[in-house]
Amino acid sequence: MAFILWRIAQQGVLNLENEGFQTDTNAQRLDILTEFLAFLVHLVDRMTANDLSQDERQEFITSLAMHLANTMQENRTDAEGKSDYRHALIVRLNERAADYASFSCPDNEPGFAMRRCFGEYVRAVMGEKDNKWVTDQVMDIEVPEALKPMKKSVMDLFENRG
């Protein structure tokens, strides 16, 4: 699941760049990717909440976060040099989980306010070129594009759970 979420987040960053939104460095791309991951992890957590016990849910999301943190560590080390990047990702995932928890998510679909919040977080780490439009792009195009493979992956993962 971590691999799939990483790929979905990478595609989101690539889509933004292909639409002409400015990114200047690999570190900035990873900042944007972090916002995608935080949003996606939160949605996966919501989607699995009814299928897992509280202990299973905590174990699953913790494992997911740790796998993503390890991947982030490798990528940030390549982009920015040696440091501990795992902790920063875990902190961001927790911050965003708390932020997104207050929003409605009917039928496991992020509501307007949650999508807007996510778009604003992405806007905050984007380059200045056409920055004012990135929130709309994220809300209207990137979220629906990300939800398709994410939902399929979650369903596939828990399909044979017995």
Side-chain angles (χ1 to χ4, degrees), residues 13 17 23-33 72 75-76 78-80:
V13 174
E17 290 177 330
T23 57
D24 297 317
T25 64
N26 285 335
Q28 183 186 34
R29 287 177 188 95
L30 290 168
D31 290 343
I32 298 163
L33 192 132
M72 183 63 74
N75 282 270
R76 288 246 186 227
D78 290 345
E80 301 175 64

Side-chain angles (χ1 to χ4, degrees), residues 53-109:
S53 71
Q54 186 61 36
D55 289 343
E56 289 171 328
R57 183 178 174 195
Q58 183 175 354
E59 182 180 345
F60 173 63
I61 295 300
T62 299
S63 177
L64 179 59
M66 293 310 297
H67 279 85
L68 291 170
N70 288 335
T71 304
M72 183 63 74
Q73 179 67 35
E74 293 172 19
N75 282 270
R76 288 246 186 227
T77 298
D78 290 345
E80 301 175 64
K82 290 189 178 201
S83 189
D84 177 18
Y85 302 106
R86 287 177 186 90
H87 180 72
L89 179 66
I90 299 299
V91 167
R92 180 55 47 95
L93 293 178
N94 287 330
E95 288 172 350
R96 296 299 185 247
D99 294 345
Y100 293 137
S102 65
F103 295 112
S104 67
C105 203
D107 300 322
N108 293 319
E109 291 279 338

Side-chain angles (χ1 to χ4, degrees), residues 94-144:
N94 287 330
E95 288 172 350
R96 296 299 185 247
D99 294 345
Y100 293 137
S102 65
F103 295 112
S104 67
C105 203
D107 300 322
N108 293 319
E109 291 279 338
F112 178 85
M114 183 187 288
R115 287 182 288 129
R116 175 157 297 286
C117 183
F118 170 47
E120 288 296 315
Y121 285 137
V122 171
R123 186 194 58 74
V125 293
M126 287 296 296
E128 290 302 314
K129 181 183 173 203
D130 296 325
N131 190 307
K132 63 184 176 180
W133 304 111
V134 75
T135 300
D136 293 334
Q137 174 76 20
V138 168
M139 289 176 61
D140 298 338
I141 297 171
E142 301 313 321
V143 169

